[in-house]
Amino acid sequence: MKKLLLIGLLGFGGWQYYSDNQTGTHSLPSISSFAPVTSKIQAAPQPSYTCDGREHCSQMRSYEEAVYFIRHCPNTKMDGDHDGIPCERQFGR
């Protein structure tokens, strides 16, 4: 993302320089004249779960942890009907 922004700024500056030279003025826009780009999208917090060999619902502390395990860890036995919802009886989903 930063590389794309830098390429865009350099391209704009080059175009501005070229167009100014065509009209007789010789100024480049300063980098400080551009407003900073801010993102309003926040990254989701990364879970602190790791595949540690747990396979069963009774070993899970939360629904989110069970979901992480069935999506990222091998040999889990928490989604008997294979609908993507683990531990339905334990967590009431």
Side-chain angles (χ1 to χ4, degrees):
M1 180 74 174
K2 290 181 182 180
K3 289 181 183 180
L4 185 60
L5 180 61
L6 180 60
I7 290 170
L9 287 173
L10 289 173
F12 178 78
W15 174 79
Q16 187 71 35
Y17 180 76
Y18 174 78
S19 64
D20 286 348
N21 284 331
Q22 297 300 319
T23 60
T25 59
H26 300 287
S27 65
L28 282 175
S30 68
I31 296 295
S32 63
S33 67
F34 294 103
V37 177
T38 59
S39 175
K40 296 195 186 302
I41 300 172
Q42 293 181 353
Q46 295 296 320
S48 59
Y49 311 126
T50 58
C51 298
D52 55 10
R54 292 183 280 161
E55 301 174 342
H56 302 281
C57 290
S58 61
Q59 298 169 314
M60 299 295 121
R61 290 176 285 248
S62 69
Y63 175 75
E64 290 75 20
E65 184 176 45
V67 169
Y68 177 88
F69 270 76
I70 67 167
R71 290 184 182 166
H72 298 96
C73 304
N75 305 320
T76 59
K77 298 167 180 65
M78 295 181 276
D79 187 12
D81 58 1
H82 305 288
D83 64 352
I85 303 172
C87 309
E88 292 172 273
R89 282 186 250 160
Q90 179 175 339
F91 295 113
R93 304 260 173 171

